[in-house]
Amino acid sequence: VKKASARADFVEIWFDNFPTFRSINAITKASKKPVIAVCRAAIEKGGYKNSEDYRIAVLIGAARSGARFIDCGMQTSAPLLQKLKQACKAENVRLIISKHHWRATPSLDVLQKEVAHMRRLGADIVKIATFVKKWSDNVTLFELTRRCYQHSEAVIVTGMGEKGKISRIGCPLLGSLLTYVALDEKSKTAPGQLTVDEFARIQ
């Protein structure tokens, strides 16, 4: 965490495999930069295998330990999302509700409907990540970002895969709040993700 903090504006920590709330508290407080806390179940390509109730409890624990952002998937049940939303509000933590399309990029219309749905679920920030199969998929992501920014909607939009790398640079220029980079090759969390060194060279 300390190594990542030195080269980032935010640090995303996946709490999928941390066994205790004590370790969550210690790891969150070790970061000198704002923490985005994640705890992804297997359906989200994560490592968490216990109950959904406990997964939400982990995220609430991260919020209470000082995380500035909590990222939770759209597939989470509405009652659990509301419970998490209430805890985030009490701790002045911003809730990111995310949707990952691991195989393709849906149409702009579908993505806009998902954004609206996540807003209704209580998202402070909506995250959309899609797999980019063809270059034109990037145009869809760019237009989604532009429209959300035009309507003052806080979003994070990113493309996955080799052809999606350009979206990781272009979407922030159009209004996406941030882009994700990995500390090194081993710590990449999605296909096509740039390392911090690769991103620095592009800038």
Side-chain angles (χ1 to χ4, degrees):
V1 171
K2 290 181 179 179
K3 185 177 179 182
S5 294
R7 306 188 67 182
D9 296 315
F10 305 91
V11 175
E12 184 179 67
I13 302 175
W14 288 42
F15 288 103
D16 304 10
N17 298 307
F18 292 107
T20 68
F21 286 103
R22 182 177 297 177
S23 62
I24 291 170
N25 183 66
I27 292 166
T28 302
K29 292 185 182 304
S31 174
K32 295 181 179 179
K33 298 291 177 68
V35 168
I36 303 171
V38 178
C39 186
R40 298 208 187 283
I43 193 173
E44 299 178 277
K45 307 290 185 181
Y48 196 79
K49 298 177 181 178
N50 293 323
S51 72
E52 278 287 275
D53 285 336
Y54 195 79
R55 184 173 70 86
I56 297 305
V58 168
L59 291 173
I60 291 173
R64 291 173 176 168
S65 296
R68 292 277 297 279
F69 303 88
I70 300 294
D71 182 340
C72 190
M74 188 180 79
Q75 85 292 335
T76 305
S77 71
L80 286 178
L81 276 174
Q82 283 305 306
K83 182 178 180 180
L84 179 58
K85 173 67 176 179
Q86 291 171 3
C88 287
K89 186 175 181 179
E91 299 295 332
N92 197 28
V93 173
R94 299 183 78 184
L95 175 62
I96 302 169
I97 299 182
S98 56
K99 172 64 178 177
H100 291 73
H101 293 275
W102 295 99
R103 296 184 178 181
T105 297
S107 69
L108 180 60
D109 183 59
V110 168
L111 293 176
Q112 286 186 294
K113 288 178 180 177
E114 288 180 346
V115 169
H117 178 60
M118 286 185 271
R119 294 281 180 216
R120 291 193 295 270
L121 288 172
D124 297 309
I125 302 168
V126 168
K127 177 185 174 185
I128 293 283
T130 73
F131 188 81
V132 174
K133 297 177 69 174
K134 54 187 185 294
W135 292 112
S136 60
D137 289 340
N138 289 298
V139 177
T140 300
L141 297 180
F142 291 157
E143 181 62 13
L144 176 68
T145 306
R146 188 193 69 80
R147 292 189 184 190
C148 289
Y149 181 76
Q150 189 176 43
H151 291 91
S152 301
E153 296 178 327
V155 293
I156 300 168
V157 180
T158 190
M160 299 180 286
E162 191 66 25
K163 291 180 179 177
K165 286 182 176 180
I166 190 173
S167 73
R168 296 178 178 271
I169 301 163
C171 286
L173 297 176
L174 294 169
S176 179
L177 293 180
L178 55 84
T179 193
Y180 294 86
V181 297
L183 188 60
D184 51 40
E185 289 290 337
K186 291 182 179 180
S187 57
K188 289 184 177 183
T189 57
Q193 190 174 62
L194 300 169
T195 66
V196 66
D197 288 332
E198 289 172 332
F199 189 74
R201 286 196 294 270
I202 292 170
Q203 289 183 308

